[in-house]
Amino acid sequence: VSTRSTWGYLEKIKMTEVKNEDKKEEVKGSEDKLRKTKMETSAPFFRDTKILSCSKVVMKGGEAVAVCFPQKKTGYKAPGSYTNMSKSSETKSLAHEVHKVHPIMHAGMGKKPLVKYSPTSFRNRLPQPTVVMPHKNSSQVVLGDRESAQKKQFVSMNKNHFPAHSLSDAVTNPAILAEKTKATHKEQLKQSVIPQLFKLFSLFR
């Protein structure tokens, strides 16, 4: 056996011994850490025990219960597994977000919801009253148009449909007489009470 191979073999032995010593120190350090954690979290009676097969010993219902070490999650339970990584961050559908009951936003809200920017957004406006209470003597029903006065408001239907025609513009041509009669009937229908009644009934539908 050559001297060079002998020295190489001895170097390997020394490196193995150094690695073993490092591992022993790591194990000793981890044991010291576990012992310190156990002394801090265990029940007072079990703080000075040298058993390190559990993370701590607690008293529950008058009985000593050993708590095991936390196990690292593997398989599909691991946080970095394909099952957990492939899940979408969107937990609600678009229809649910659009049609849900939204709060009445205003500038004085305690927790403003995040919305898309808009210069006329309600989250930047002052609060507005949702219900405006009317005056106790105010009425919601309005009969007719109060702004415009009708000349024939109090004229009866008989007097409106059978007026005294003037003979100054009397004609005998049948075509001209028919057109004038149509125009007269159209004006009488405008001034009669019937269109006003239809308009009034449409308000209560």
Side-chain angles (χ1 to χ4, degrees), residues 12-186:
K12 287 183 179 180
I13 293 175
K14 285 183 180 180
M15 292 293 294
T16 306
E17 290 178 354
V18 171
K19 288 181 179 179
N20 291 336
E21 289 179 0
D22 293 341
K23 287 183 179 179
K24 288 180 180 179
E25 290 179 359
E26 289 180 1
V27 171
K28 187 178 180 180
S30 61
E31 288 180 355
D32 293 340
K33 187 177 180 180
L34 290 173
R35 190 177 289 108
K36 184 179 179 181
T37 306
K38 186 177 180 182
M39 289 178 63
E40 292 175 354
T41 57
S42 296
F45 184 76
F46 298 95
R47 286 181 181 175
D48 297 331
T49 56
K50 297 182 180 180
I51 301 173
L52 297 177
S53 59
C54 61
S55 62
K56 58 184 176 180
V57 181
V58 295
M59 299 297 294
K60 190 171 183 180
E63 295 183 356
V65 179
V67 181
C68 63
F69 291 103
Q71 298 293 327
K72 186 177 180 180
K73 293 182 178 180
T74 59
Y76 73 93
K77 293 183 179 180
S81 65
Y82 176 77
T83 306
N84 294 327
M85 294 297 291
S86 61
K87 288 183 179 179
S88 175
S89 59
E90 301 290 340
T91 57
K92 296 179 181 179
S93 63
L94 178 62
H96 180 81
E97 289 292 331
V98 172
H99 299 289
K100 70 179 181 181
V101 180
H102 295 278
I104 301 175
M105 296 185 295
H106 54 85
M109 292 181 66
K111 294 182 179 180
K112 290 185 181 180
L114 296 177
V115 295
K116 192 181 293 185
Y117 172 76
S118 175
T120 58
S121 178
F122 282 94
R123 72 193 306 271
N124 301 327
R125 300 185 187 183
L126 295 176
Q128 299 177 358
T130 55
V131 179
V132 180
M133 298 302 294
H135 194 265
K136 60 181 180 179
N137 292 330
S138 65
S139 177
Q140 302 294 331
V141 180
V142 179
L143 300 177
D145 190 3
R146 297 182 179 182
E147 297 180 358
S148 60
Q150 297 182 3
K151 297 180 179 180
K152 295 190 176 183
Q153 184 177 1
F154 302 103
V155 177
S156 64
M157 189 176 296
N158 182 55
K159 192 173 182 180
N160 187 38
H161 282 75
F162 301 101
H165 297 284
S166 175
L167 298 177
S168 59
D169 54 349
V171 292
T172 57
N173 191 324
I176 298 175
L177 186 61
E179 290 296 329
K180 291 187 64 175
T181 305
K182 286 181 182 179
T184 304
H185 288 172
K186 190 174 182 180

